[in-house]
Amino acid sequence: MIRRHRLATGACALLAALGAGIAFPGGAVADETEPQAAAPKVELVLDVSGSMRARDIDGGSRMAAAKQAFNEVLDATPKEVELGIRTLGANYRGNDRKTGCKDTEQLYPVGPLDRTDAKTAVATLSPTGWTPIGPALLKAADDLQGGDGTRRIVLISDGEDTCQPLDPCEVAREIAAKGIGLTIDTLGLVPDAKTRDQLSCIADATGGTYTSVQHKEELSDRVGQLVDRAADPVVTPVATDGAASCAAAPTLKSGLFTDREEFGRERWYKVDVQPGQELRASVSVADDRAVSPDYGVLLRAVTAKGREIVRGESAGRGRTDVISTGLRYAKPDSDDDTATAEPVCLQVTNSFSAAPGVKTTPGLPLELTVDVVDGPSAAHDVAAFGLGRGWWLLGALVLTGFVAGLLWGWLSRWRVAVWRTN
């Protein structure tokens, strides 16, 4: 019986060795250390001024909505993101303007995230004082210095800066002029017209986005999106200026672009697509002010002669902060070596309309994502069974399973024969 046991053990060992040999046909894998990408950095800048006590977000205070959003975002922050938190107006309760305009501090340092410590720090906040947005942005830019990764400030405020003449819009322009690649995104909590204009100007100065927030869920979702965006090194918004026609449209390459589109108007952009390539495009149009309840957005790809190739559209009724759609177009490969790129025009149209008494300028914030990739017919990207370079792994798994099945069947029959003999 000992001999039989050894035989069974040896067969199992053979099966394991065979599986390992097939899965790694080249033997031991070399210890290759890939260079680590620079860590993206994000600082959340929160307005903790006295006006954050207002109870007009889903029956609760603005401060409570911000705390809930921060806790949810901290739970979902990608591990590669170095995140910090800065406050403005959190400490000084007095009436001295000079002192109040210095009231900004780093609540949690930018670095690897300890979720428990960060949440504990957020829990201590209570609406207090002034609204020094400009000074807070200057300090936040200093907090994010160093490193080559993407850098992003996410500013959440419910009111105008109270520390003029230090104009926060001018501060944002100065930060952009330094060329350090820092983007400022802004969110306005139940904003009035002046707050909306100021926060929009801050975002525009650095190629960021502005979002008006009326509900807790909207705040959590949007802050989470912006933090996730910092972790994606491909997404770096570039300001562009769409045209009124295909012929005059600017030519774009793969990337994320920001623009402004007037109510009910259209913007045109152009993308060169080579034979065998696929164009993927998506657009989002945000309503950063009060709009009528019916809305929609249309994205069309057309030839230079005006023939429609493909379209994507989305529409709705009710309250929203942003509406998005997208499209894909693959240009067939060609055996003609002289075949050239085909200019494809992208038309963006919205059906937002302004509510009575609302300004229609500047236009609505628009984000356009363009990605030109090798199409599905490219032989070097799509190999056997459409699995690309991973086909050998499937083959290894199939062969391993086949051999394992044969050995297991043989062992089972041998064990039954032994049992009957005994």
Side-chain angles (χ1 to χ4, degrees):
M1 291 299 294
I2 294 175
R3 182 179 179 183
R4 291 169 183 163
H5 178 70
R6 288 176 177 173
L7 179 60
T9 303
C12 291
L14 174 63
L15 176 61
L18 180 61
I22 294 174
F24 301 100
V29 178
D31 183 14
E32 297 181 357
T33 303
E34 296 185 0
Q36 296 293 318
K41 297 181 179 181
V42 180
E43 184 150 73
L44 307 178
V45 179
L46 179 61
D47 180 352
V48 195
S49 60
S51 58
M52 290 288 284
R53 299 190 190 97
R55 303 181 63 84
D56 52 7
I57 297 186
D58 298 332
S61 69
R62 299 173 185 179
M63 192 71 242
K67 286 184 176 181
Q68 177 180 319
F70 272 41
N71 285 335
E72 293 177 5
V73 169
L74 292 172
D75 283 334
T77 297
K79 62 181 181 180
E80 65 269 26
V81 173
E82 294 187 357
L83 186 139
I85 303 172
R86 174 168 287 277
T87 61
L88 59 97
N91 301 307
Y92 180 65
R93 299 178 180 274
N95 297 320
D96 182 69
R97 183 176 179 278
K98 186 176 181 179
T99 303
C101 288
K102 295 179 180 178
D103 186 10
T104 176
E105 70 168 352
Q106 193 173 45
L107 186 71
Y108 185 85
V110 177
L113 181 62
D114 184 313
R115 289 173 171 79
T116 300
D117 287 350
K119 287 182 178 180
T120 300
V122 170
T124 64
L125 296 176
S126 178
T128 302
W130 294 64
T131 312
I133 294 177
L137 292 178
L138 288 173
K139 292 291 186 181
D142 291 339
D143 296 340
L144 295 171
Q145 284 186 348
D148 298 323
T150 58
R151 282 167 281 187
R152 185 176 297 270
I153 293 172
V154 180
L155 169 66
I156 302 100
S157 179
D158 69 337
E160 281 187 282
D161 182 278
T162 55
C163 293
Q164 301 287 349
L166 184 60
D167 185 350
C169 193
E170 289 299 325
V171 169
R173 293 191 182 104
E174 290 176 8
I175 291 173
K178 293 179 180 179
I180 58 176
L182 193 156
T183 302
I184 304 175
D185 297 289
T186 59
L187 295 92
L189 304 184
V190 198
D192 56 25
K194 291 183 177 180
T195 299
R196 182 170 57 244
D197 289 346
Q198 185 173 86
L199 295 179
S200 294
C201 182
I202 293 171
D204 288 345
T206 61
T209 60
Y210 165 72
T211 305
S212 173
V213 176
Q214 307 286 337
H215 302 284
K216 289 188 291 186
E217 186 174 324
E218 293 172 350
L219 180 60
S220 299
D221 289 347
R222 186 56 176 162
V223 176
Q225 290 170 7
L226 295 171
V227 172
D228 289 342
R229 177 174 292 178
D232 187 348
V234 176
V235 182
T236 304
V238 176
T240 189
D241 189 13
S245 67
C246 174
T251 300
L252 307 179
K253 297 185 181 297
S254 294
L256 175 66
F257 303 90
T258 59
D259 199 357
R260 288 272 181 177
E261 183 174 53
E262 296 180 16
F263 283 87
R265 303 299 292 274
E266 61 186 40
R267 301 291 271 177
W268 288 85
Y269 311 89
K270 194 179 299 180
V271 182
D272 289 334
V273 183
Q274 298 281 354
Q277 290 186 326
E278 179 175 278
L279 167 64
R280 303 172 184 176
S282 62
V283 67
S284 298
V285 179
D287 56 328
D288 59 353
R289 67 209 77 178
V291 299
S292 300
D294 293 299
Y295 47 80
V297 63
L298 169 67
L299 176 63
R300 298 173 65 230
V302 303
T303 66
K305 295 182 179 180
R307 178 179 63 83
E308 181 176 300
I309 302 172
V310 66
R311 66 165 56 194
E313 54 190 323
S314 182
R317 176 179 175 81
R319 172 65 192 172
T320 185
D321 278 322
V322 66
I323 185 169
S324 306
T325 190
L327 57 80
R328 296 176 68 170
Y329 162 60
K331 184 177 181 182
D333 207 346
S334 175
D335 295 331
D336 184 0
D337 294 337
T338 63
T340 58
E342 172 192 7
V344 176
C345 289
L346 296 175
Q347 177 197 27
V348 180
T349 308
N350 77 82
S351 60
F352 282 106
S353 58
V358 173
K359 292 183 179 180
T360 59
T361 57
L364 299 168
L366 178 154
E367 282 190 358
L368 176 66
T369 302
V370 174
D371 196 12
V372 180
V373 299
D374 289 329
S377 62
H380 64 278
D381 273 346
V382 181
F385 310 110
L387 294 176
R389 299 180 179 86
W391 66 270
W392 66 268
L393 179 58
L394 177 62
L397 292 174
V398 170
L399 184 57
T400 301
F402 175 73
V403 174
L406 288 177
L407 289 176
W408 183 256
W410 178 79
L411 286 172
S412 298
R413 293 182 64 182
W414 174 75
R415 292 177 62 188
V416 170
V418 170
W419 177 76
R420 287 177 177 175
T421 301
N422 294 334

